[in-house]
Amino acid sequence: MRRKAHQPCSKKLIGLLGLGLMVLTLGGCAWFNTQASSSPTAGAAASTTTGTPSAATPSYYDFSDIPVPGELSLVTKESTVFQGGSVKGGVLTLKGRVEPSSVVNFFMVALARENWKHRGDIRYRKSVLLFEKPDRFCIISIRESTYYTYVELYVVPTGAGNRSGSLEPLGGAKGAEASTIKTTNLP
């Protein structure tokens, strides 16, 4: 005669052990969450110790008056910044796991604090924001992909106060003879 009574008992025992382990695991997670959320400083300390930037702390990259949400990181392979004398411009590409609408809201508030004038926007499928200062424009393109939200931040000089829409050399001089760029024919 075989002992068939022990096999079902051992399956029940394994099932109960598994259930008990799962309850202990979930209970442990709940204990850690209530302990961290009971103190307002514990949540702030946790965000600084993990190394991830907080949403309340913006980052600054190449432009000191253009804050960027802390959740976005710079994509250096897709960014270019140029500087010639006092003129600085270029494009910064950033990415992060953040809602596009929160990025739009961040820039609307943060750039207003930095004295940028909001001049217009396009929203939803792909958002584009336009801001202006007397010496440059800031164009921000925000798009969502499968895993990340991408932000392209364009900073373009306005032509040092030139409002006619034409591009002139800096300093207000007109004509090709006023250009400081020298051309040389190569052999």
Side-chain angles (χ1 to χ4, degrees):
M1 233 167 117
R2 291 185 153 179
R3 292 183 171 171
K4 293 185 179 179
H6 289 290
Q7 288 177 356
C9 182
S10 64
K11 287 182 181 179
K12 286 181 183 178
L13 182 62
I14 290 173
L16 285 173
L17 286 174
L19 181 65
L21 183 61
M22 194 165 65
V23 168
L24 286 175
T25 303
L26 293 175
C29 291
W31 179 79
F32 282 118
N33 285 337
T34 57
Q35 183 180 10
S37 65
S38 65
S39 169
T41 57
S47 68
T48 57
T49 57
T50 59
T52 57
S54 168
T57 307
S59 299
Y60 290 85
Y61 290 98
D62 291 278
F63 304 100
S64 61
D65 60 347
I66 302 176
V68 174
E71 297 91 358
L72 297 177
S73 59
L74 184 66
V75 181
T76 55
K77 291 181 179 182
E78 297 179 24
S79 299
T80 302
V81 174
F82 65 87
Q83 184 165 2
S86 63
V87 177
K88 187 175 188 179
V91 60
L92 298 178
T93 301
L94 307 131
K95 73 175 183 177
R97 293 186 183 215
V98 62
E99 287 292 321
S101 60
S102 68
V103 175
V104 168
N105 293 337
F106 173 88
F107 281 119
M108 294 296 287
V109 172
L111 291 184
R113 285 186 192 144
E114 295 288 340
N115 298 318
W116 286 90
K117 302 293 182 211
H118 178 240
R119 295 297 183 205
D121 55 67
I122 301 169
R123 295 213 189 175
Y124 301 115
R125 185 172 180 203
K126 179 179 181 180
S127 296
V128 178
L129 308 173
L130 175 62
F131 294 92
E132 181 184 22
K133 276 195 169 180
D135 60 339
R136 59 205 158 120
F137 290 105
C138 179
I139 304 154
I140 302 169
S141 172
I142 303 161
R143 67 178 169 81
E144 187 175 25
S145 72
T146 305
Y147 298 109
Y148 295 103
T149 295
Y150 286 90
V151 175
E152 293 175 329
L153 200 140
Y154 299 88
V155 178
V156 183
T158 60
N162 176 16
R163 296 284 178 221
S164 67
S166 65
L167 294 176
E168 297 177 7
L170 292 178
K174 293 183 181 180
E177 66 278 353
S179 175
T180 59
I181 299 174
K182 304 294 182 196
T183 59
T184 307
N185 291 333
L186 297 175

